[in-house]
Amino acid sequence: MKNFDIEEVRDFIRNTSDSTKIYIGADSYRYRDKNDKWQAMYTVAIVVHYDGNRGCKVFGEATSEVDYDRRHDRPSFRLMNEVYKASQMYLDLFDAIGEQHCEVHLDINPDEKHGSSCVIQEAVGYVRGLTGVIPKVKPNAFAASIAADKFPSL
């Protein structure tokens, strides 16, 4: 598993300018382990965009957990775990973020023809209620759908 030191991330954010933007996203995928049990690989990515107009640094953490989802066509349990992890990361970094622009990105497609739409209302409501931030969803959620999605393979 890939992990980061949360204090290192906080210090990094604190040492950036007020115009730096922070994006937090989470993603997951299912796989079978060597015992033929379903697991979920969760990745949380933090994208720190220098001054909001230059390069960025990406921090990421990947963890594997048992996937209890019994219905593979409506993956609500796993998707909501992504939401919980992104929200918790926001709370863990809240003091370091201060007044800087910060967004929470969810790898959820609001279009009903996609399975992830099954949790759109719950997910947006959870993030908004817990953090006060209105989260971005696909196609505007690059920290989840690109950064967190690609992180385990980096």
Side-chain angles (χ1 to χ4, degrees):
M1 302 304 136
K2 296 182 179 187
N3 295 301
F4 57 80
D5 177 3
I6 191 72
E7 284 305 318
E8 177 186 347
V9 178
R10 287 181 184 132
D11 289 342
F12 187 86
I13 291 171
R14 285 184 188 115
N15 289 312
T16 61
S17 72
D18 289 342
S19 59
T20 292
K21 297 179 180 182
I22 296 102
Y23 306 94
I24 301 168
D27 193 19
S28 66
Y29 65 88
R30 299 178 80 229
Y31 67 96
R32 286 187 189 265
D33 66 12
K34 62 183 178 184
N35 298 318
D36 206 34
K37 304 268 187 202
W38 282 107
Q39 300 287 319
M41 177 67 68
Y42 294 98
T43 305
V44 177
I46 301 137
V47 179
V48 182
H49 189 198
Y50 304 117
D51 300 326
N53 64 4
R54 296 190 302 132
C56 67
K57 179 162 178 77
V58 179
F59 295 91
E61 179 172 70
T63 57
S64 184
E65 299 175 13
V66 174
D67 185 13
Y68 295 104
D69 182 22
R70 301 282 185 237
R71 294 189 59 202
H72 309 299
D73 60 329
R74 304 298 266 186
S76 57
F77 181 85
R78 183 172 48 85
L79 291 168
M80 286 306 294
N81 269 342
E82 291 177 21
V83 172
Y84 303 149
K85 290 174 184 303
S87 299
Q88 186 59 52
M89 185 56 62
Y90 175 87
L91 295 175
D92 290 346
L93 296 174
F94 183 78
D95 289 339
I97 293 167
E99 297 299 316
Q100 290 171 306
H101 177 87
C102 184
E103 295 178 4
V104 175
H105 290 187
L106 305 176
D107 192 35
I108 296 173
N109 195 320
D111 188 331
E112 290 184 8
K113 65 183 172 185
H114 297 279
S116 62
S117 67
C118 67
V119 297
I120 190 75
Q121 291 180 345
E122 296 93 318
V124 170
Y126 182 84
V127 173
R128 191 171 186 186
L130 187 65
T131 68
V133 173
I134 299 172
K136 304 278 185 182
V137 297
K138 285 182 174 179
N140 302 312
F142 67 86
S145 60
I146 297 173
D149 180 63
K150 302 293 183 220
F151 186 79
S153 62
L154 296 177

